Amino acid sequence: MKRLLTKTIAIVAMMTAFTAGAQNNPGVLTVEQIMRDPEWMGTSPSNIGWSADGRALYFSWNPEKNLADSLYRIAPSDKTPRRLSAYEQQQVVYEHQLRYNSNRSAAVWSKDGDLFYRAPGGRITRITQTLEGEFNPVFSFKDTRIVYTRGQNLYSWEIATGASRQLTNFTNEAPADKNKKGNREEEWLKKDQLATMDILRERNSKRTASEGYRKATEPSGPKPVYLAGSQLMGTAISPDGRFVTYQLYTSGRGKRTIVPDYVTESGYTTDIPARTKVGSPQGSSAFFVYDRVKDTAYKINTEQIPGIRDIPAFVKDYPGQWEKMKKESALRNVNVWGVEWSPNGGYALLDVYADDNKDRWLLLMDTATRSLKLVDRQHDDAWIGGPGIGPRSTGWLSNETVWFQSEATGYSHLYTYAVAAGTKNALTSGPYEVQEAKPAQDKRSFYITTNAVHPGEKHFYKLDIRTKKMQKLTTLEGSNEVSISPDEKYLAIRNSYINRPWELFLQENKAGAKPVQITDKAQSKEFRQYHWRIPEVITFAARDGAIVYARLYKPENPRPGMPAVLFVHGAGYLQNAHKWWSSYFREYMFNNLLADNGYYVMDIDYRGSAGYGRNWRTGIYRHMGGKDLTDHVDAVKYLTDTYKVDPAKAGLYGGSYGGFMTLMALFTTPDVFASGAALRPVTDWANYNHGYTSNILNEPFTDSIAYHRSSPLYFAGGLKGHLLICHGMVDVNVHYQDAVKLAQRLMELKKDNWELASYPMEDHGFVEPVSWTDEYRRIFKLFEQTLKK
């Protein structure tokens, strides 16, 4: 104990001297420095958007280090950024807010809850000025009216006359029961009163006649559609104005968790309402079509959907459950995530997903017959996902051609579908992903973003639909986030590189055109004083032959026997072994600090990470802490074999999923990692939310095998090395309950080589610099004490 205390004092003294020296040397990093408010680094431009007329480009920026970002403006003819006044900011309308008519000669938009119309000649008319907001305007009735939402109903404004009309009558009121009668005594008494009293009889006759006249002469309106307690969602009108599609959602009413908030202004502990847990009863929805001509609503029959009764493959691991589901042959619940109308309104393209996450159907609904025709079915025994696959990721090129993305080849690619012929056509192919796609205005080409050059780079292309040839438009290395001007003459490019945060460039929409830098050195002078490493983006082979991409930070004076630390990025489908500025910028700086202090640092895109196709994405299905963990074990072997790192001096750290991985590493491969810092970790996946967890592990009561082998809580007895747990106590994502449960289990197992640092005022993503600093000082101290023996 005395030796440990002496060693701790020596390390603290060393860290104090290191910090003091670093403060006098701007080229040396300290935890205190890098964990300050990020404004010390400078600010990058964000929220890039073109003006409604396409003559200006707007972006948020803060080069003057004010309390908040301001809105700036440039033009293709004047590329000098100019900050807008508060009044000018209020007048800004972005092009992405506009909705156009079929030939793009007129536009409509909503601003501050009111509607505006720009006629073909450019004249702007304010359609509404009301206290109740109007939203989601679109052209309909063959471009003669503008349809919008007020409250929960649709209204139209006729362009030629300015006349307004209510189109739907959704109501939360219960329908009147015409057959409802009072009890026998009440009915007899009413009848007797009318038979006995002349005045009552005369008044009743006049009232009945008056009501009849009122009903006969009042303007006719749409019949009420009773919601019966359900929530109205996804209302959309056809281009010809005849049909309205909508969904009625009924809540599952699952039990919600609470998160106690201990440090409050009142001095009393308060409860923060939080989410439900995975497997909690989920809501259901029904999809309807309202025919305005017939004034009738129809429910779409999901029995028409191919494979709607299929049983998930994992159920075969539970024979009794399999036989039960096979016998019941029940319809699976589905949700319509999107509706895209054909230009003439003859079809609606429905983007439908199964609640069990195993199927996505693209279905053509014929408005004349309400029948459904299959365009594409994407089935995955794991779960449906990938870039460009989700809400608002489909559309029409013409009345006869649909476009969409699919992972059918193992990578997300772009396809078209010919309605008449019923055939699909792949526009892109190869071992890369189409990450974004948007049709050009002429509908003869697409603008797409892919990682075809390298999994860790993003470039912007123009794709010719007929020839399928891709023309690369961006040249800057790293990531290129592109916003194209309304006239498609210019590209606004937000670019960053590994060691350089985001900057804004403007370029003509031509291959080979030179990008002009708009924001220069958005980083502060203090940030630029340190020589930030450009970690190598390398690959190594995992034990099953799969190629793993990684960032590698090397110490200045490498030699055999040095320690190594693995940083484990979070999940939610993320990528970090790439060539652009990381969203984990604090960890990037901390990894530089570790390398300065004699550590090799690796940051790998383990199984489950984004950017590498379907098989990589689903590599963690039913076993988190399986291949994703062995990828990290294999990374340590790579460092040992290649750089002669001491295999007894390996540690790891990470937050959220990275914290979970740290626990699984220390509990199930304790001889590989000497220590680890698990930040805001999931310790029991049955505690987490439904949307994320049910994709990967199904539900606890249907797939208990997956939950048992994926939750660190069950493997805590394997802990040998030193463990630091850090968790915010008001975390509404991964609840502090996870850390508390693990702490109790570790005490029961009589483990004494762990500690829990709690942060009373922090959510999942820390905010306060004092919390970041405390957390990372503990991490650095852990590695200094355990990996530099």
Side-chain angles (χ1 to χ4, degrees):
M1 182 68 181
K2 184 177 180 180
R3 289 179 61 192
L4 178 60
L5 180 60
T6 303
K7 183 177 180 182
T8 301
I9 293 173
I11 289 174
V12 171
M14 179 272 292
M15 290 177 63
T16 303
F18 172 75
T19 301
Q23 289 175 342
N24 297 320
N25 183 352
V28 177
L29 298 179
T30 70
V31 171
E32 288 79 4
Q33 177 191 28
I34 63 180
M35 296 300 164
R36 287 178 291 168
D37 188 307
E39 285 190 3
W40 80 267
M41 302 162 52
T43 60
S44 291
S46 60
N47 303 320
I48 315 298
W50 290 91
S51 64
D53 58 11
R55 297 176 183 175
L57 180 71
Y58 300 113
F59 57 95
S60 299
W61 196 27
N62 190 8
E64 298 172 353
K65 297 184 179 180
N66 295 319
L67 292 177
D69 288 3
S70 298
L71 194 64
Y72 283 75
R73 178 191 189 278
I74 64 164
S77 57
D78 181 6
K79 301 177 181 62
T80 302
R82 181 177 70 83
R83 189 172 69 173
L84 301 186
S85 67
Y87 174 78
E88 288 175 314
Q89 292 185 42
Q90 288 293 322
Q91 309 310 308
V92 168
V93 177
Y94 290 97
E95 193 273 338
H96 65 75
Q97 295 176 268
L98 273 58
R99 295 295 177 266
Y100 294 95
N101 61 356
S102 56
N103 62 11
R104 295 182 67 88
S105 63
V108 64
W109 64 92
S110 174
K111 183 175 176 59
D112 300 325
D114 288 320
L115 303 182
F116 297 82
Y117 167 68
R118 188 178 70 200
R123 183 176 176 225
I124 296 176
T125 301
R126 184 172 193 152
I127 300 174
T128 64
Q129 189 171 7
T130 62
L131 293 178
E132 189 175 7
E134 291 84 29
F135 303 98
N136 306 318
V138 295
F139 286 88
S140 186
F141 294 89
K142 300 180 180 179
D143 287 347
T144 63
R145 297 194 216 173
I146 290 166
V147 175
Y148 58 91
T149 302
R150 177 188 291 158
Q152 60 185 0
N153 279 298
L154 295 182
Y155 296 78
S156 72
W157 179 77
E158 192 166 17
I159 297 172
T161 66
S164 295
R165 182 179 178 184
Q166 184 170 341
L167 304 180
T168 63
N169 187 12
F170 296 110
T171 177
N172 293 312
E173 296 179 1
D177 188 352
K178 297 179 181 180
N179 297 319
K180 184 179 179 180
K181 296 182 179 180
N183 58 42
R184 294 175 63 186
E185 185 271 337
E186 291 174 351
E187 290 296 321
W188 180 90
L189 184 61
K190 179 179 179 180
K191 186 177 180 179
D192 183 67
Q193 290 291 98
L194 290 174
T196 305
M197 303 294 182
D198 293 340
I199 299 301
L200 285 178
R201 191 165 54 252
E202 290 174 7
R203 290 179 178 180
N204 178 268
S205 298
K206 290 178 180 179
R207 184 173 62 252
T208 301
S210 177
E211 290 178 354
Y213 176 79
R214 178 179 57 81
K215 291 180 179 180
T217 58
E218 68 181 4
S220 61
K223 292 179 182 178
V225 176
Y226 298 101
L227 302 183
S230 297
Q231 180 182 350
L232 180 68
M233 299 175 60
T235 308
I237 193 166
S238 61
D240 59 9
R242 175 171 176 175
F243 298 98
V244 175
T245 58
Y246 62 95
Q247 290 187 80
L248 294 184
Y249 173 79
T250 303
S251 172
R253 303 189 183 281
K255 183 177 181 180
R256 306 193 74 84
T257 54
I258 59 169
V259 174
D261 187 1
Y262 292 97
V263 184
T264 64
E265 291 184 9
S266 69
Y268 289 89
T269 300
T270 59
D271 291 336
I272 301 172
R275 54 168 171 78
T276 58
K277 296 189 178 187
V278 59
S280 176
Q282 299 300 296
S284 61
S285 65
F287 186 76
F288 293 83
V289 178
Y290 170 51
D291 186 335
R292 294 188 54 258
V293 173
K294 297 182 179 180
D295 203 6
T296 304
Y298 306 94
K299 182 180 178 181
I300 296 301
N301 184 2
T302 60
E303 290 188 35
Q304 305 176 55
I305 300 177
I308 192 64
R309 300 181 189 273
D310 288 359
I311 303 171
F314 80 87
V315 183
K316 290 182 179 179
D317 285 352
Y318 306 90
Q321 187 177 336
W322 174 269
E323 291 300 325
K324 182 176 182 292
M325 293 180 70
K326 189 175 180 181
K327 182 178 180 181
E328 292 175 348
S329 188
L331 293 173
R332 288 186 286 164
N333 290 329
V334 300
N335 278 287
V336 179
W337 281 16
V339 178
E340 295 287 342
W341 287 97
S342 62
N344 62 7
Y347 291 98
L349 179 66
L350 310 184
D351 197 354
V352 183
Y353 288 76
D355 280 4
D356 63 15
N357 313 305
K358 312 300 182 188
D359 280 282
R360 177 207 192 190
W361 298 271
L362 293 176
L363 302 167
L364 279 181
M365 182 186 70
D366 188 326
T367 55
T369 63
R370 303 192 304 279
S371 61
L372 300 179
K373 178 182 179 182
L374 182 67
V375 171
D376 183 66
R377 178 186 180 186
Q378 298 175 52
H379 173 81
D380 199 313
D381 282 346
W383 76 94
I384 296 294
I389 299 172
R392 303 185 186 279
S393 60
T394 59
W396 293 82
L397 296 175
S398 68
N399 285 316
E400 295 298 327
T401 307
V402 167
W403 67 269
F404 63 96
Q405 285 183 239
S406 168
E407 275 189 332
T409 66
Y411 293 87
S412 184
H413 281 293
L414 186 60
Y415 296 80
T416 59
Y417 173 84
V419 174
T423 56
K424 285 179 283 191
N425 180 31
L427 301 184
T428 60
S429 62
Y432 66 89
E433 293 182 333
V434 175
Q435 300 190 338
E436 292 182 21
K438 178 183 178 181
Q441 290 181 20
D442 61 11
K443 301 297 179 72
R444 293 196 293 267
S445 56
F446 274 89
Y447 290 105
I448 62 174
T449 298
T450 83
N451 62 353
V453 170
H454 183 280
E457 287 195 51
K458 294 184 180 184
H459 284 283
F460 193 67
Y461 299 79
K462 188 172 185 179
L463 168 68
D464 185 276
I465 294 175
R466 184 180 62 84
T467 65
K468 302 182 184 180
K469 289 184 178 180
M470 292 166 50
Q471 186 180 50
K472 186 166 170 282
L473 298 176
T474 51
T475 58
L476 297 169
E477 192 174 5
S479 176
N480 296 278
E481 298 177 354
V482 178
S483 175
I484 192 165
S485 63
D487 59 10
E488 299 187 352
K489 291 182 179 180
Y490 292 94
L491 308 179
I493 304 170
R494 207 171 79 110
N495 172 271
S496 72
Y497 190 58
I498 294 176
N499 66 337
R500 176 179 55 77
W502 301 91
E503 300 277 12
L504 179 62
F505 297 79
L506 190 66
Q507 176 187 314
E508 286 188 84
N509 184 13
K510 297 178 182 177
K514 182 180 179 180
V516 178
Q517 188 164 347
I518 303 301
T519 59
D520 182 25
K521 295 179 181 177
Q523 312 86 47
S524 68
K525 180 180 179 181
E526 184 182 4
F527 180 81
R528 297 197 304 271
Q529 284 179 328
Y530 177 80
H531 181 68
W532 298 102
R533 286 171 174 78
I534 302 177
E536 295 179 57
V537 179
I538 64 165
T539 62
F540 65 90
R543 63 190 61 189
D544 60 357
I547 301 301
V548 184
Y549 281 78
R551 281 185 172 190
L552 175 63
Y553 303 75
K554 296 179 182 178
E556 291 293 336
N557 300 301
R559 63 184 183 276
M562 298 186 81
V565 170
L566 302 186
F567 166 62
V568 189
H569 70 69
Y573 201 45
L574 298 176
Q575 180 182 12
N576 208 46
H578 50 61
K579 296 185 180 181
W580 61 86
W581 184 247
S582 175
S583 59
Y584 291 96
F585 60 89
R586 291 184 179 88
E587 290 76 7
Y588 166 77
M589 292 188 288
F590 185 68
N591 291 342
N592 273 267
L593 184 153
L594 289 174
D596 285 347
N597 284 271
Y599 295 87
Y600 280 89
V601 183
M602 276 191 78
D603 172 3
I604 76 172
D605 278 339
Y606 51 86
R607 238 63 72 97
S609 298
Y612 306 95
R614 180 267 169 198
N615 290 343
W616 205 262
R617 176 178 66 80
T618 62
I620 56 175
Y621 180 57
R622 300 188 71 205
H623 192 184
M624 293 192 273
K627 289 182 178 180
D628 47 358
L629 175 55
T630 58
D631 286 344
H632 285 89
V633 174
D634 294 341
V636 173
K637 184 177 185 303
Y638 170 83
L639 289 172
T640 302
D641 294 345
T642 308
Y643 299 101
K644 309 307 177 187
V645 163
D646 187 339
K649 297 178 180 178
L652 75 169
Y653 80 101
S656 196
Y657 198 94
F660 151 76
M661 285 291 295
T662 298
L663 295 178
M664 290 296 276
L666 292 181
F667 294 172
T668 66
T669 57
D671 296 323
V672 177
F673 297 98
S675 61
L679 320 177
R680 52 199 182 275
V682 174
T683 68
D684 183 353
W685 283 108
N687 288 338
Y688 201 49
N689 68 38
H690 187 86
Y692 176 81
T693 319
S694 65
N695 275 346
I696 304 171
L697 300 180
N698 303 305
E699 295 173 309
F701 49 84
T702 59
D703 198 0
S704 58
I705 294 172
Y707 280 81
H708 189 279
R709 65 187 173 199
S710 299
S711 294
L713 191 68
Y714 299 111
F715 304 99
L719 177 63
K720 292 182 181 179
H722 297 267
L723 169 63
L724 167 66
I725 307 167
C726 298
H727 212 128
M729 295 177 68
V730 288
D731 190 335
V732 297
N733 183 6
V734 179
H735 296 164
Y736 182 63
Q737 178 191 25
D738 273 64
V740 173
K741 286 176 64 174
L742 180 59
Q744 177 63 30
R745 185 64 186 135
L746 290 170
M747 287 189 289
E748 292 174 357
L749 292 167
K750 297 180 174 57
K751 301 291 183 179
D752 60 2
N753 49 345
W754 64 278
E755 65 173 307
L756 170 61
S758 302
Y759 299 85
M761 300 185 71
E762 295 292 357
D763 199 340
H764 195 61
F766 283 14
V767 175
E768 301 299 333
V770 65
S771 302
W772 282 106
T773 301
D774 181 89
E775 183 177 53
Y776 275 79
R777 287 185 67 180
R778 291 174 186 273
I779 298 170
F780 184 64
K781 178 180 175 181
L782 172 73
F783 292 147
E784 289 287 288
Q785 288 183 341
T786 60
L787 303 184
K788 287 188 174 180
K789 297 178 182 177

